[in-house]
């Protein structure tokens, strides 16, 4: 079921570009939702970044949707670059923004073909170690 959020073609294209990129490092899209137009937009793309770089870019009081491509090392020695979604909801976000992002996240992640979505409330929860634990889920 759709909540009425518009995911423009340029946001979908940015998601595809991230999925099929040739880089072997972490890369992210930070997506912002406009509560007035109910439209998603790419606020920023981070290439060849670290978790710390991403943490620095996230606002303290406003939710964001994040798409991450990261290096996942498997126990058998294989390396893959999965694409995951993160719903970032800081505790001091306004109720209006909480509702906007809660209702819009499914539309955005569905349009980007992101199946695995995780919620975080604190940037400290986002770490390399945490990303590596996702292989078991």
């Amino acid at each position: 079921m759709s909540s009425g959020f518009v995911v423009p073609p340029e946001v979908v294209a940015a998601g595809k570009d991230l999925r099929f990129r040739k880089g072997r490092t972490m890369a992210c899209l930070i997506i912002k939702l406009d509560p007035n137009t109910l439209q998603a937009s790419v606020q920023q793309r981070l290439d060849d970044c670290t978790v710390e770089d991403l943490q620095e870019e996230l606002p303290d009081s406003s939710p964001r949707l994040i798409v991450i491509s990261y290096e996942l090392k498997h126990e058998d020695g294989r390396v893959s670059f999965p694409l995951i979604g993160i719903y970032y909801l800081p505790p001091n976000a306004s109720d209006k923004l909480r509702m906007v992002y809660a209702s819009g996240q499914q539309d955005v992640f569905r349009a980007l073909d992101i199946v695995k979505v995780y919620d975080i409330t604190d940037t400290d929860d986002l770490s390399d170690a945490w990303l590596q634990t996702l292989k078991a889920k």
Side-chain angles (χ1 to χ4, degrees):
M1 186 171 122
S2 174
S3 62
F5 273 84
V6 176
V7 183
E10 57 269 16
V11 174
V12 175
K16 275 188 180 177
D17 187 47
L18 191 68
R19 181 180 300 275
F20 296 113
R21 72 189 185 91
K22 301 294 183 202
R24 308 300 273 166
T25 58
M26 185 171 143
C28 310
L29 290 178
I30 300 173
I31 299 171
K32 184 176 183 177
L33 300 181
D34 186 319
N36 299 316
T37 63
L38 299 181
Q39 186 163 318
S41 63
V42 175
Q43 177 182 345
Q44 187 171 10
R45 178 176 170 154
L46 302 172
D47 286 303
D48 191 22
C49 65
T50 64
V51 170
E52 292 78 18
D53 295 334
L54 176 58
Q55 289 172 330
E56 289 176 16
E57 296 300 325
L58 294 174
D60 294 331
S61 61
S62 181
R64 290 294 183 267
L65 303 179
I66 307 161
V67 180
I68 299 178
S69 172
Y70 68 100
E71 181 180 42
L72 177 60
K73 296 176 184 174
H74 299 273
E75 292 174 4
D76 62 4
R78 292 178 299 122
V79 176
S80 62
F81 289 84
L83 208 59
I84 62 164
I86 295 178
Y87 172 36
Y88 169 62
L89 182 63
N92 54 348
S94 72
D95 289 340
K96 179 180 180 181
L97 285 177
R98 287 173 177 271
M99 291 176 58
V100 166
Y101 278 81
S103 62
Q105 70 167 320
Q106 284 186 333
D107 290 340
V108 173
F109 290 133
R110 187 178 308 115
L112 297 176
D113 291 326
I114 305 289
V115 177
K116 295 197 177 204
V117 178
Y118 303 92
D119 296 352
I120 64 168
T121 57
D122 188 337
T123 57
D124 291 338
D125 295 340
L126 186 59
S127 67
D128 288 318
W130 178 74
L131 287 173
Q132 290 302 314
T133 65
L134 300 181
K135 64 183 166 196
K137 296 179 181 183

